Amino acid sequence: AFTIAFYLRKPNPGKMFLVGKRDSCGLGNHFDSFLSDTTPGTPRFELANPGDSWTAGGAFLPDNQWRHYVMVRNGSNARVYTDGDDGLNVGSIGTLNFSAIAAPFGISVSPCLQSDPRARFFKGEIDELRIYNRALTAAEALALASGEGVVSSGSVAVAPAEVGMGGQFVVSVPASAVPPAPTTPMCS
């Protein structure tokens, strides 16, 4: 189980990579989030393993406005929350092995930038990026979006402010249910 949450604001439409953990462009174990060019202004979340993948979108993101997105994976089910809404159940996927992915989590660093001529680096702002080694509840997703409380239990990493576009930070999100001790993100 894991959760990735962040606020997002973009200046204009187009396919732009956001936060991801991926070694190569193609099927295989990976997580990617990006702004879609087929449904402009819509963030997409993609999880894949060697035999299965799914992609689902969050709610439309108008230009120059902030929205909060939370992608929760619990077992084989996943859900995307936008601004703490009820959550769009985006389906299921089998095992996702993060430890098999050598690349660290990064901001706008997908290897697909080199192979997809429509893709480009993210031009916008990402704020309060959080990665949890557990599935947040709907109430916790709402608390993050509304600013009513900081959900810290199970927080593995919060990207430091100095990580800019194209920056990478190292974090380990284990597949096991046993939470590790919190780690400090490191820029590289």
Side-chain angles (χ1 to χ4, degrees):
F2 69 91
T3 301
I4 295 178
F6 53 85
Y7 283 92
L8 182 65
R9 181 167 69 175
K10 66 172 181 61
N12 51 42
K15 185 171 186 177
M16 294 181 266
F17 285 93
L18 304 171
V19 178
K21 181 172 177 59
R22 160 178 224 161
D23 288 328
S24 64
C25 192
L27 288 181
N29 287 302
H30 71 264
F31 164 75
D32 243 338
S33 60
F34 55 93
L35 289 171
S36 174
D37 60 340
T38 56
T39 52
T42 303
R44 308 289 289 173
F45 297 87
E46 179 177 272
L47 291 172
N49 63 36
D52 194 10
S53 70
W54 62 252
T55 303
F60 177 75
L61 175 64
D63 291 349
N64 297 308
Q65 292 185 23
W66 286 102
R67 292 202 90 164
H68 189 260
Y69 296 95
V70 179
M71 198 282 305
V72 178
R73 181 168 190 272
N74 190 7
S76 63
N77 295 314
R79 208 174 268 276
V80 176
Y81 297 90
T82 303
D83 296 330
D85 66 7
D86 290 335
L88 170 66
N89 190 348
V90 297
S92 63
I93 184 172
T95 303
L96 180 65
N97 184 2
F98 270 131
S99 63
I101 307 168
F105 273 93
I107 299 173
S108 195
V109 294
S110 174
C112 296
L113 282 165
Q114 298 166 351
S115 61
D116 185 345
R118 303 166 303 163
R120 54 191 170 150
F121 289 104
F122 177 62
K123 295 178 182 174
E125 298 172 80
I126 296 175
D127 198 11
E128 295 186 33
L129 169 62
R130 294 176 177 273
I131 301 171
Y132 296 85
N133 64 351
R134 67 181 183 86
L136 295 186
T137 65
E140 289 172 321
L142 178 60
L144 282 178
S146 66
E148 292 176 8
V150 175
V151 179
S152 60
S153 172
S155 178
V156 176
V158 177
E162 64 271 13
V163 173
M165 294 306 111
Q168 296 181 347
F169 53 101
V170 177
V171 63
S172 173
V173 181
S176 70
V178 178
T183 59
T184 302
M186 299 169 19
C187 297
S188 60

